[in-house]
Amino acid sequence: MTWREATREEIYAYYAKEFPRYLADLPEFITATGPKQYAVAFREPHPVRKDEVPAKDFIRRDTWQTDASGDRTTPEFDDFEDVVEFIRHPARNDPLGRSEFALADPEVLEKPDPRPDAVYYALDHWERPWVLLVDIDAKEIARDRAEELVSADVDNRDDDALLDAAGILDAAPEGYPYAFEDIDRAIEYGFEVRDIFEDDFDAEETMVVYSGQGVHVYLLDSDPAHRYDEQSREVLNDLLLETYDIPIDPVVTADRRRVARLPYSLHADVCSIVQPIESPTFDVRSATPEVIDE
C-alpha cells in the first residue's frame, strides 16, 4: 500500500460521486447552520477579488450573518446541499458572494477552480456546547519514537534528520513523517481515550474518527454536567498527558477557535476518507475512496 496526493480530478470526483452517499451518516450536530464556520484548505493559494489582498490557501466562512451584538440574523447556507456545493466549487459558491474579500471567480482568471485539499468545520457551535475533541497525530508519535531510537545528538537534529536517522522516512508510506505503525498506534491511543471518557467521566456518547494521519476522539455528552469549559479542558489535557501518558495535542482540546476535519471528507494528501471507526484494529487501507486509481 502506498500513499500519495489525490489529483484535482479525483478530489472533484470524490465530492461529486462518493461524498453524497455519506451525508445521512454525518453526526447530528454537523448541519448547515450548527457549526459556526466551515473551512476549506487548498493545495495552491487562490486569488481573492481585492487586488491588494494576498491569495488564500485556507478560508473560513461563517454559517450565519450576525448583527453588531453577535446575534444570528441570516443563514449563509439554507441546507447542507449548499455546504456541499461550497465544498465542490469554493470560488463559485463562496458565501461572501461578491464581496471584495471573496475568492475570485475562476471564469475571469487563468487559474482553475480551486479544489479542497481538506474540509473542516468549527468545533464552536450555535446550537450546542462547544464540541470537545482530542487530537492524536501520528507525526507526534513518530517523533517520540525516533527520539527513542536515535539517542545521540537528538537536540542537534531537526525533525527530518531525526526521522531519517530512525528509518521512519524510508518506511511505508515512504516520504511521510511517520510510518503506518505510528498511525496504528494513534488509533489504539484513540480507543484508550474513549475508554477513559467512558470509565472516568461516565460519558455516554463518544466517537473515534480516523483523521487520515491519526484520530480525533469526541466526548459528545450534552448533559449540563459535561459542558466542559476552558479550565476543565486544561485539567483533561493534564490528565491525558501526565497521568495516562497519551500524546495528545492539548491546544486542540482547549482552543475554542479550532476547526476539525469534516467526517467523510477526503484527506487529499493521503487519499483517505476521514471517518468514524469502531475498532482499534481498523485497517486504514479500507479508507481509500473508490474514485482513487491505485
Side-chain angles (χ1 to χ4, degrees), residues 61 174 233:
R61 293 296 182 258
E174 292 82 356
R233 288 166 185 256

Side-chain angles (χ1 to χ4, degrees), residues 13-293:
Y14 177 75
Y15 286 110
K17 299 176 182 178
E18 284 189 62
F19 182 64
R21 302 180 204 165
Y22 298 115
L23 297 184
D25 298 325
L26 284 171
E28 61 180 12
F29 59 89
I30 298 180
T31 63
T33 55
K36 290 190 175 181
Q37 293 180 327
Y38 282 98
V40 178
F42 307 125
R43 194 166 296 168
E44 297 180 358
H46 188 81
V48 299
R49 291 176 180 270
K50 187 175 177 63
D51 290 340
E52 295 82 6
V53 176
K56 304 293 185 182
D57 59 9
F58 179 81
I59 58 169
R60 293 174 179 256
R61 293 296 182 258
D62 294 339
T63 56
W64 284 85
Q65 296 176 21
T66 56
D67 60 21
S69 300
D71 295 326
R72 289 176 284 177
T73 57
T74 307
E76 293 288 6
F77 303 106
D78 290 333
D79 53 39
F80 205 81
E81 184 56 36
D82 289 344
V83 179
V84 175
E85 287 303 310
F86 169 56
I87 294 169
R88 288 178 183 151
H89 301 286
R92 188 187 307 169
N93 298 300
D94 192 334
L96 293 184
R98 300 191 65 80
S99 162
E100 59 186 6
F101 295 102
L103 295 175
D105 186 343
E107 292 186 2
V108 301
L109 302 172
E110 293 184 1
K111 285 184 74 71
D113 195 7
R115 298 285 185 245
D117 251 28
V119 180
Y120 305 91
Y121 74 97
L123 297 178
D124 206 2
H125 206 276
W126 285 112
E127 298 161 358
R128 58 154 290 142
W130 169 23
V131 177
L132 195 160
L133 177 151
V134 169
D135 179 40
I136 303 172
D137 195 327
K139 293 190 290 293
E140 294 303 316
I141 294 172
R143 180 68 165 74
D144 291 345
R145 186 164 65 89
E147 288 183 347
E148 294 178 1
L149 291 171
V150 184
S151 57
D153 300 326
V154 168
D155 292 339
N156 297 324
R157 296 178 184 267
D158 62 24
D159 280 359
D160 284 348
L162 181 65
L163 295 171
D164 186 47
I168 291 173
L169 294 181
D170 291 331
E174 292 82 356
Y176 286 85
Y178 48 76
F180 281 125
E181 67 179 272
D182 300 306
I183 297 177
D184 291 341
R185 186 67 185 109
I187 292 171
E188 292 171 359
Y189 276 131
F191 283 91
E192 290 179 31
V193 172
R194 186 198 65 175
D195 291 343
I196 292 167
F197 285 164
E198 294 176 352
D199 295 340
D200 292 10
F201 294 85
D202 296 323
E204 296 180 356
E205 188 177 2
T206 60
M207 181 170 64
V208 180
V209 173
Y210 165 63
S211 64
Q213 297 183 121
V215 292
H216 296 154
V217 190
Y218 290 78
L219 198 168
L220 295 169
D221 287 8
S222 57
D223 184 274
H226 294 286
R227 300 172 79 90
Y228 295 99
D229 60 11
E230 287 86 348
Q231 184 176 3
S232 60
R233 288 166 185 256
E234 295 289 358
V235 172
L236 173 61
N237 279 338
D238 291 343
L239 176 72
L240 295 176
L241 286 165
E242 297 175 11
T243 302
Y244 289 100
D245 199 27
I246 294 176
I248 68 169
D249 182 344
V251 177
V252 173
T253 309
D255 183 358
R256 197 178 194 104
R257 285 277 299 165
R258 284 284 164 162
V259 294
R261 286 185 182 270
L262 181 68
Y264 303 107
S265 64
L266 179 66
H267 193 311
D269 288 346
V270 295
C271 292
S272 278
I273 301 172
V274 176
Q275 59 188 278
I277 58 177
E278 299 296 333
S279 168
T281 61
F282 174 75
D283 183 357
V284 298
R285 290 172 294 186
S286 67
T288 303
E290 295 172 7
V291 300
I292 299 299
D293 182 9

